Amino acid sequence: MSTASLPPVAPEVLAEAVEALTARLRKKLDAAVAECAGKATEGADGTVEVRFGEDTLVTLAPGPSGAVTEAGQAVCSCLLAPRCLHRTAVLGAAPIADAEVSAEVEAEASDAAAEGASPAAGQVGALSVEPVPGSTAASGSGSESGPGSGSGPGSVEDVVAASLTPAQTRAGAALWQAASEALAAGVTAGGTVVQAELLRAAHTARLAGLPRAEAAALRVVRGLRNAREQGRGQRLSDLTAAFRELLAGAFALASGAAGPGAVGGARRAYEKGGSLRVLGLCREPVLSATGYGGVTTHLLGPGGAFHTVSDVRPGGIGRAKGAGTASVALGGAVLDHAGLARGGLLIAGATVSADGRLGAGRSVRATPVRGAAWSEEPVAALFARPVREAVAAALDAGAEPAGGTGPELLGCDVEVLGAAEDHLVARVLDGGPLVRLRVAHPHPELAHTANLRRIGGHPGLLLRVLGRPDPDRAATLRPLAVAPVPGASPTLRLPEEWLGRADLGYDRLQGDHFPRLGAGAAAPAPVPGGPDPLADAPLWRVRRLLETGVAGGRRAVAEASRGADRAAPAVPLRRAGLTGAAELAEGLAAEADRRPRDSFGRLVDASSDAYARAWLASAVHLEAAERSLVLASWS
């Protein structure tokens, strides 16, 4: 038998298995989960087996979706089964199934069957790109519902009450309780039992019709797992942001003050868009932590609206690489994604989702039409817009509750100044700011990193860039495609078949695509660093305190805040005029160190509720302050 990987497991299956264990077995669960590493082998009929000793065998039989979705699909041969440590450990070692994607795929298949069409690749749901740090698709899709963002603890302004059912309010309260306990535990104590409580609350939210809250809880669980396993793609800042989004949404639901986008939809709703002419902009590889891969092709519609067509299915990096030339199943149009990215479609009976995704079905008809060069209207208008105005619009669009995978695309013309550490430094033409160009998808098998490295070797090169502004970094753009600057020199010289642009995730730039350097070319000048308001501001002290709480839990925050002068860390914040951040950080430290006693004077465990409120208030205030600094850095 060959070594196999464990199939994804539905959240409720793992939660039920942990709930069935005795208290004694729960204490042994994390160690048993660690023992499962590398033990999975292929069994008969597509099953996966994990052996414990000579007499105990756990067998997983995933369903048609490739995931274990029912308790009966996981069996153990020991006498205590199914309430045994072996079965629960294997389920705990398996990845968590992506419920959002599975529901989307099933919904699309149901729609296609009802309309007499095959499931359309262009309607597969959006995926978070968790194993690709730095990708905006990884962390920019949540709506912030909390203090400083319009709803949540500490703010009552601009709250639009949604019509919530009692079941949804109770599910929000359960999710808040589970998330608060997980935050108080932190990564160090956030083992399988803590994760199972979050998964149980996530499943309750799903049953109550709260898929957005469920997805937020699953992101936290995956982040806890990656951090405990010291995964290569895990960033503590990402897990901190996931906790902030989960707590903010859960509080809004539990308090009944959820905004209109907090509930979300169990499936993407497509509305009739009539006749629509869209022009291709570029292709972008898509990766998922649960083994999904594919491509998203970005399109420009009437009035400058962005649209997308996606093809995301199981397959990981291999699927992401191959999908760039896969056929587009949209209204009978005979095109692949490479052709669509450089061409266009005239669609009759179009269906469009709230985030701009184009649907397919029996009533949709699409005819390929000539695309537009980036130097032609209406595409050229993307690059003529003032960069600060464009960044503000892109970041606002990415923060909307109904938004897609992150900020909208931004176009600008830049001069490459050179490479600096892990990024390129460029200046926006016509007196624009210095910007940092960072890799959009750093997976080594994708072309992004190699292409950016080649561009960095040509200081003075003029480029037309289309990408996403990074909402978490000062003046940072993650380019998806590049093109020559019209009428400029030196600039790119691309093949005719590329139609004037290169998709950085798929097309590989070569030496003859760049201008030749003269024999007497001067040595490149030192690359200026440029100001970084995020790094220069003392807000990093608040960020460190919040991340300390995520990593080590409530106890770590209390220990970090103890000393001769607890207020000392807040002094630089007040000196810089950040009094709100200082007060919230002090309140968080005080709450973390609060040690209540019972009527006999004995220490008792403090409730995690007040601590979670204090942490959330500080986290949302920090997010709003940093977003303001990011926007200012583009001036």
Side-chain angles (χ1 to χ4, degrees):
M1 291 188 239
S2 61
T3 302
S5 58
L6 292 171
V9 173
E12 62 272 18
V13 175
L14 174 58
E16 290 174 0
V18 174
E19 179 68 20
L21 291 181
T22 64
R24 180 179 63 85
L25 292 180
R26 289 188 186 187
K27 295 179 180 179
K28 301 179 180 181
L29 182 56
D30 287 335
V33 168
E35 292 180 7
C36 296
K39 286 188 175 181
T41 57
E42 294 181 3
D45 302 326
T47 61
V48 177
E49 299 175 345
V50 178
R51 184 172 293 278
F52 292 84
E54 297 182 359
D55 302 326
T56 303
L57 181 67
V58 177
T59 303
L60 303 183
S65 65
V68 176
T69 57
E70 299 178 3
Q73 294 174 342
V75 297
C76 180
S77 61
C78 76
L79 296 177
L80 294 178
R83 299 181 178 182
C84 64
L85 183 63
H86 313 108
R87 175 178 177 271
T88 307
V90 173
L91 292 175
I96 300 298
D98 199 328
E100 179 183 358
V101 174
S102 300
E104 184 77 12
V105 172
E106 292 173 4
E108 300 300 344
S110 176
D111 285 348
E115 295 182 353
S118 60
Q123 290 180 280
V124 178
L127 300 175
S128 61
V129 190
E130 296 180 40
V132 186
S135 168
T136 54
S139 58
S141 60
S143 92
E144 308 305 338
S145 305
S149 65
S151 62
S155 174
V156 295
E157 293 85 351
D158 302 325
V159 174
V160 181
S163 178
L164 298 178
T165 66
Q168 290 175 328
T169 303
R170 290 193 298 271
L175 201 56
W176 169 265
Q177 180 64 30
S180 300
E181 296 292 343
L183 178 67
V187 172
T188 55
T192 307
V193 174
V194 172
Q195 296 168 22
E197 292 301 319
L198 267 175
L199 293 177
R200 177 177 294 280
H203 182 59
T204 301
R206 183 183 185 184
L207 295 179
L210 300 171
R212 188 176 186 83
E214 179 202 18
L218 296 185
R219 280 193 289 273
V220 169
V221 172
R222 293 192 182 103
L224 286 172
R225 286 188 168 197
N226 289 338
R228 290 176 62 84
E229 296 168 2
Q230 297 181 348
R232 292 172 53 191
Q234 175 62 30
R235 296 191 306 169
L236 191 56
S237 59
D238 292 338
L239 182 55
T240 302
F243 263 111
R244 183 189 67 232
E245 179 184 353
L246 172 60
L247 287 167
F251 183 91
L253 291 169
S255 63
V263 174
R267 51 183 301 183
R268 181 171 287 104
Y270 289 86
E271 298 180 356
K272 293 183 178 180
S275 296
L276 194 65
R277 185 174 186 266
V278 293
L279 302 172
L281 294 174
C282 65
R283 295 168 293 168
E284 177 185 8
V286 176
L287 289 172
S288 166
T290 51
Y292 286 80
V295 62
T296 291
T297 297
H298 298 273
L299 309 164
L300 186 67
F306 289 107
H307 297 283
T308 57
V309 173
S310 297
D311 181 358
V312 182
R313 300 176 186 175
I317 182 60
R319 181 74 176 83
K321 293 169 62 178
T325 54
S327 298
V328 177
L330 184 65
V334 184
L335 269 180
D336 59 18
H337 281 271
L340 179 58
R342 292 178 168 91
L345 288 176
L346 182 61
I347 307 175
T351 56
V352 186
S353 71
D355 58 357
R357 293 178 180 267
L358 298 179
R362 186 173 56 184
S363 60
V364 178
R365 293 290 181 269
T367 304
V369 295
R370 176 186 175 276
W374 286 7
S375 57
E376 302 175 3
E377 296 295 342
V379 182
L382 294 177
F383 304 92
R385 192 176 185 183
V387 65
R388 178 181 169 83
E389 177 185 330
V391 169
L395 295 181
D396 288 344
E400 290 177 358
T405 57
E408 287 186 350
L409 301 186
L410 165 70
C412 60
D413 294 340
V414 303
E415 177 188 1
V416 177
L417 301 182
E421 299 178 353
D422 59 346
H423 62 273
L424 305 184
V425 178
R427 184 182 299 279
V428 177
L429 298 183
D430 299 327
L434 285 177
V435 297
R436 299 163 181 83
L437 303 181
R438 292 185 179 271
V439 175
H441 300 282
H443 194 286
E445 295 189 40
L446 297 176
H448 286 282
T449 302
N451 283 332
L452 220 59
R453 186 180 297 117
R454 276 192 174 275
I455 292 173
H458 293 77
L461 183 70
L462 302 182
L463 282 180
R464 177 156 283 188
V465 181
L466 185 67
R468 285 197 187 89
D470 191 327
D472 301 320
R473 296 179 185 269
T476 299
L477 185 66
R478 298 192 179 270
L480 301 179
V482 294
V485 176
S489 180
T491 190
L492 291 175
R493 302 180 302 176
L494 300 179
E496 293 184 4
E497 59 268 22
W498 287 12
L499 297 182
R501 63 257 205 182
D503 296 330
L504 295 181
Y506 292 102
D507 302 322
R508 292 190 177 269
L509 296 174
Q510 305 296 332
D512 57 352
H513 297 156
F514 295 89
R516 292 185 177 87
L517 298 177
V527 179
D532 189 340
L534 282 183
D536 298 339
L539 287 171
W540 64 267
R541 299 174 185 274
V542 182
R543 191 183 315 115
R544 175 181 293 179
L545 185 64
L546 295 172
E547 292 180 354
T548 297
V550 170
R554 177 175 187 160
R555 180 177 300 178
V557 174
E559 292 292 340
S561 304
R562 289 173 186 164
D565 188 1
R566 174 180 290 178
V571 173
L573 293 170
R574 287 195 168 87
R575 189 178 297 145
L578 302 170
T579 56
E583 292 175 359
L584 290 172
E586 288 179 334
L588 172 60
E591 181 57 39
D593 200 27
R594 187 172 64 85
R595 307 178 72 186
R597 297 177 180 270
D598 62 13
S599 56
F600 296 99
R602 296 172 297 192
L603 289 174
V604 296
D605 292 335
S607 169
S608 61
D609 182 79
Y611 170 74
R613 288 170 181 256
W615 187 95
L616 178 59
S618 190
V620 176
H621 183 278
L622 174 66
E623 192 269 344
E626 289 184 333
R627 181 62 62 90
S628 298
L629 292 176
V630 167
L631 184 57
S633 69
W634 285 89
S635 300

